[in-house]
Amino acid sequence: MNTAVTPAVATPGSRRSWRAVLRTAAEPWLYLSPALIFIMLVMLVPLVIGISYAFQAISLMNPLESGWVGLANFEALYEDRKFWKSLKNTAYWTIASVFFQFFLGLGLALLLNHGFYGRRLVQALVFLPWAVPTFLSALTWAWLFNPVIGPLPHWLAAIGILSEPYNILSDPNIAIWGPIVANIWFGIPFFAITLLAALQSIPHDLYEAAAIDGASAWQGFIKITLPFLAPMIAITVMLRAIWVANFADLIFVMTGGGPANSTQIISTYIFTTAFRKLDFGYASAIAVVLLVLLLIYAAVLLRLRQSLRLVN
Amino acid sequence: MARIDIVDLCKRFGNIEVISNVNLSFEEGEFIVLVGPSGCGKSTLLRMIAGLESITKGDIIMNDQRVNDLPPRDRNIAMVFQSYALYPHMNVERNMGFSMEIKRTPPDTRRQHVDKAAAILGLGSLMERLPKALSGGQRQRVAMGRAIVRDPSAFLFDEPLSNLDAALRVEMRLEIARLHQRLGSTMVYVTHDQVEALTLADRIVVLDHGVVQQVGTPMELYESPANRFVARFIGSPTMNLIEVAMEDQQLTMKSTHSAIPLPALVGAESATQLGIRPEHLEPMPAGKGHVQGEVEVVERLGSDSFVYVQVPGAGRLLSRCNGNTRLQAGEAVGLSLDPAHLHLFDEKGQALR
Ligand SMILES: Nc1ncnc2c1ncn2[C@@H]1O[C@H](COP(=O)(O)OP(=O)(O)O)[C@@H](O)[C@H]1O
Ligand SMILES: [Mg+2]
């Protein structure tokens, strides 16, 4: 009986169910569409347009010679000594800044994780660099390094780091340390706060168990604290490095990339190329290179983190 | 193995005294249970023995050495935490061998010790697992394994079974008893569960508000509690208490002045409360026995029955009878008090003997 009835019903039934399947599949996308469209508009469109600039000649100085030029911008970039110098500076600036930001931030977090008198005050002060506009911080630091009004050159000379109190921002050999010091000051709170949060999430009884198992404070730090912090360290260092590599404000205000391009990093080079020379095509080409480098960096770090987790 | 002496020990958190003048001696190889209600200071006392909590006043002496100022790692004790405190990023093997890893024991020796402990606890197949992939009972075993590997002179347990379900708790209780028989080490065990205390302990220390109420073997505590607190805390169901007074050489119920016709009792003159355990209160036909009342509720557990009897002047008394009683709710009933098992308490709650 059943077998006789089924074929007659099956055809319209299956067609209807096919449509129903399609509808259930489409329905979530319909609900997601506002968010998706918004993300496309806000992120994808500018990205694509920006990347497309890299393959065009768009210079406001030369409005007549605009149009697609293929890889010409990148070829020029390859020959550009200023580009290679700023790439090297970027690496130096990023590594030095993040290194000191991280270790000083970790130290501060460990300190704040212990109760001591006046801890709340210190904890509030830690946020201070975030309360000041970057522009003002940069100006203040520039003044601090200025021997006419700032104390730092005199102190540095007094402890023998400088031969005489001069402005390090005007010495091409060490000028980059001016913005780096400002950046360290600026970036410590980020590490201190995120690492403090991670520290506070470690159950206290693990340290007690370790103490009973015979661990010294240092062994407790190595065997318990660090493994617990590792994921947070990986993610914060990665994010921070990308952010610092792109962070042009301090350098731009303090040295403007000078003297003699000794503090020029990729992002300040992009900025000056685009908004001083008004060569948007070339600036986009540099930006695309920076993007690719950072993507590779992120991929490597994520892979590294995965393998670290497997080891543990 | 360790002998532990606690002398005039006090602990204050700010102005609050959590441990008051505690004096105790634990013999080598003894299984001591610290028992008391939640918040009475059991964990604090245990943590002071472990060295995790500073000592406000007094001394802790292990094998004739004063250890007040020794850090935990120099006391050669192992502790099993209520939360287990397993290292979540290490597998079972590393968790158990952590103390040897710290001491940089060669991996071969480490492995031997860990395998031995794992065999005792039946953990052999779990060595590669992370704690998060273990059940509650397995975690408990790993925590005990970690303690065993250390081969300590004393084991400290802080409510190790309170996170387990009832069936598992019974099983692990047996396991701990077996472990003590096998290792013969001094063990100090903290619990708020008097059943664990009665079943495991060589001697029980009852604490309340940081003050030692009584120290004794389980049966000493059960049969002759030193005060009302111990009497009510040890034994399940709890002891019945009747407000009493002495009138004309006769023990009477305080509120109704009706006599309780019992033979003369030692110290009865100053008694204000009479205590009797449910199993020493026997239902009788109405009119017989020492007091009269009406059955309120009968709970039948198969092996025995709990009969709640409302007695005018004494309130609700609980009688425990073997097997299945025929009594029904609403029935008039007499209760006979076993004169050999009466407890009298004075105004301050001290037992009169
Ligand atoms: N670190 C601390 N600071 C202040 N009070 C505490 C601290 N630790 C415990 N206490 C208090 O001491 C008392 C005893 O605590 P505890 O020993 O944990 O009790 P128990 O283990 O018997 O439940 C409690 O009233 C508790 O609030
Ligand atoms: Mg406790």
Side-chain angles (χ1 to χ4, degrees):
Chain A
M1 280 297 257
N2 272 343
T3 43
V5 175
T6 328
V9 181
T11 328
S14 71
R15 186 173 295 161
R16 197 173 300 150
S17 74
W18 207 90
R19 208 178 280 169
V21 166
L22 200 69
R23 196 189 301 154
T24 24
E27 200 177 327
W29 292 103
L30 180 72
Y31 297 142
L32 285 175
S33 58
L36 289 178
I37 291 171
F38 188 73
I39 290 173
M40 295 262 258
L41 283 179
V42 173
M43 293 184 63
L44 232 46
V45 171
L47 188 68
V48 170
I49 293 177
I51 292 176
S52 78
Y53 280 4
F55 302 94
Q56 300 176 45
I58 307 177
S59 175
L60 295 191
M61 299 298 195
N62 276 329
L64 298 178
E65 283 178 28
S66 58
W68 296 92
V69 295
L71 294 177
N73 282 332
F74 293 96
E75 280 158 14
L77 202 56
Y78 187 74
E79 305 289 329
D80 185 354
R81 281 187 44 210
K82 214 167 137 190
F83 167 74
W84 291 110
K85 182 167 176 73
S86 50
L87 195 62
K88 227 170 69 190
N89 283 343
T90 306
Y92 195 76
W93 150 261
T94 307
I95 291 170
S97 298
V98 173
F99 179 86
F100 285 105
Q101 284 178 0
F102 170 73
F103 279 103
L104 294 175
L106 178 63
L108 189 57
L110 289 171
L111 208 65
L112 287 174
N113 196 33
H114 275 276
F116 60 86
Y117 187 76
R119 193 187 102 171
R120 277 160 180 266
L121 184 73
V122 175
Q123 206 160 353
L125 285 179
V126 164
F127 283 99
L128 200 64
W130 288 353
V132 184
T134 326
F135 182 79
L136 273 186
S137 309
L139 273 184
T140 310
W141 277 99
W143 289 337
L144 284 175
F145 281 116
N146 184 333
V148 180
I149 44 173
L152 290 185
H154 302 281
W155 293 349
L156 290 174
I159 58 174
I161 292 179
L162 294 182
S163 54
E164 52 177 314
Y166 65 91
N167 193 340
I168 65 163
L169 297 179
S170 56
D171 178 349
N173 290 324
I174 52 171
I176 196 157
W177 280 99
I180 286 175
V181 167
N183 195 17
I184 291 167
W185 173 81
F186 192 73
I188 286 174
F190 172 79
F191 281 107
I193 299 298
T194 50
L195 293 177
L196 180 63
L199 280 175
Q200 284 173 343
S201 74
I202 304 176
H204 192 67
D205 55 7
L206 293 185
Y207 292 106
E208 296 186 336
I212 286 179
D213 272 343
S216 61
W218 173 247
Q219 284 167 320
F221 178 76
I222 294 293
K223 305 261 179 193
I224 294 173
T225 312
L226 274 190
F228 263 86
L229 290 187
M232 184 61 110
I233 290 175
I235 203 87
T236 48
V237 166
M238 186 186 84
L239 287 176
R240 199 64 190 177
I242 292 180
W243 197 78
V244 167
N246 282 319
F247 186 42
D249 311 22
L250 287 176
I251 292 183
F252 195 78
V253 174
M254 288 177 75
T255 65
N261 288 319
S262 64
T263 60
Q264 196 77 273
I265 63 168
I266 297 270
S267 54
T268 55
Y269 189 34
I270 295 171
F271 192 83
T272 33
T273 309
F275 298 108
R276 288 277 154 84
K277 288 175 153 177
L278 301 175
D279 189 345
F280 291 100
Y282 195 58
S284 290
I286 311 173
V288 166
V289 171
L290 182 61
L291 177 71
V292 170
L293 289 177
L294 291 179
L295 281 178
I296 292 171
Y297 168 79
V300 167
L301 244 166
L302 284 176
R303 183 69 56 82
L304 214 68
R305 199 178 149 215
Q306 203 105 38
S307 58
L308 264 183
R309 196 181 286 163
L310 287 182
V311 167
N312 268 330
Chain B
M1 269 193 274
R3 181 194 154 80
I4 303 173
D5 293 291
I6 295 170
V7 186
D8 291 334
L9 197 70
C10 292
K11 175 71 186 178
R12 259 191 295 272
F13 286 116
N15 284 330
I16 303 160
E17 190 158 69
V18 177
I19 295 290
S20 311
N21 231 18
V22 166
N23 284 284
L24 292 168
S25 287
F26 306 155
E27 302 296 331
E28 272 180 27
E30 213 177 6
F31 199 122
I32 294 284
V33 174
L34 300 175
V35 70
S38 188
C40 71
K42 311 177 291 288
S43 298
T44 306
L45 181 53
L46 194 73
R47 291 163 55 81
M48 285 160 87
I49 298 173
L52 297 173
E53 208 77 72
S54 66
I55 292 171
T56 309
K57 215 182 100 226
D59 293 312
I60 294 178
I61 294 157
M62 287 186 189
N63 292 336
D64 302 324
Q65 188 199 0
R66 182 173 176 274
V67 297
N68 285 31
D69 304 317
L70 285 188
R73 61 201 178 110
D74 295 333
R75 295 191 185 194
N76 196 23
I77 37 93
M79 183 155 166
V80 177
F81 292 79
Q82 182 173 357
S83 61
Y84 314 140
L86 299 179
Y87 311 117
H89 52 292
M90 302 180 194
N91 64 16
V92 169
E93 183 179 350
R94 245 190 105 196
N95 256 289
M96 288 174 61
F98 187 71
S99 55
M100 308 189 93
E101 181 180 329
I102 289 293
K103 274 191 266 174
R104 301 212 169 76
T105 314
D108 290 347
T109 327
R110 203 190 299 171
R111 188 142 202 139
Q112 265 173 13
H113 281 79
V114 169
D115 283 347
K116 207 170 117 201
I120 294 176
L121 293 163
L123 285 170
S125 58
L126 303 173
M127 300 310 270
E128 298 303 323
R129 299 242 194 121
L130 286 178
K132 66 174 180 229
L134 299 175
S135 70
Q138 290 167 337
R139 286 179 204 177
Q140 175 60 58
R141 275 169 213 269
V142 175
M144 297 206 322
R146 188 168 65 181
I148 295 173
V149 167
R150 298 209 44 212
D151 189 22
S153 53
F155 284 86
L156 309 178
F157 296 88
D158 191 356
E159 309 216 17
L161 307 186
S162 58
N163 289 340
L164 302 179
D165 63 50
L168 211 49
R169 212 173 317 178
V170 174
E171 190 189 322
M172 291 309 295
R173 204 168 73 202
L174 287 173
E175 194 103 2
I176 292 175
R178 215 168 50 97
L179 197 66
H180 180 240
Q181 280 171 9
R182 181 178 180 132
L183 302 174
S185 320
T186 312
M187 294 192 175
V188 185
Y189 185 104
V190 159
T191 179
H192 64 266
D193 179 0
Q194 48 110 6
V195 178
E196 278 172 32
L198 290 171
T199 51
L200 286 171
D202 291 328
R203 280 195 303 154
I204 298 178
V205 176
V206 184
L207 274 177
D208 187 32
H209 289 106
V211 179
V212 174
Q213 303 293 319
Q214 190 173 3
V215 184
T217 64
M219 285 311 111
E220 277 168 17
L221 263 58
Y222 189 81
E223 283 163 6
S224 42
N227 56 40
R228 194 169 51 208
F229 178 83
V230 178
R232 297 275 291 175
F233 195 82
I234 300 289
S236 170
T238 47
M239 182 186 279
N240 296 296
L241 286 181
I242 307 171
E243 301 288 328
V244 294
M246 205 65 178
E247 291 175 14
D248 302 335
Q249 310 283 327
Q250 175 62 52
L251 203 61
T252 60
M253 282 187 255
K254 200 171 173 188
S255 52
T256 55
H257 305 286
S258 42
I260 307 174
L262 288 167
L265 293 163
V266 186
E269 303 74 42
S270 50
T272 61
Q273 280 182 319
L274 171 68
I276 182 149
R277 295 200 183 275
E279 53 268 42
H280 303 134
L281 202 54
E282 193 188 345
M284 298 256 145
K288 296 199 173 168
H290 300 105
V291 295
Q292 303 300 315
E294 186 183 303
V295 177
E296 208 175 29
V297 176
V298 180
E299 292 177 342
R300 294 185 173 83
L301 305 177
S303 58
D304 42 19
S305 312
F306 294 162
V307 183
Y308 294 87
V309 180
Q310 193 67 41
V311 176
R316 181 192 295 138
L317 301 183
L318 171 58
S319 160
R320 175 186 199 159
C321 331
N322 282 331
N324 197 348
T325 176
R326 281 205 216 108
L327 289 169
Q328 294 293 335
E331 227 173 292
V333 71
L335 288 173
S336 149
L337 285 61
D338 184 346
H341 292 103
L342 292 176
H343 307 272
L344 288 173
F345 302 105
D346 67 12
E347 219 169 343
K348 288 187 188 125
Q350 292 304 313
L352 299 164
R353 276 180 269 197

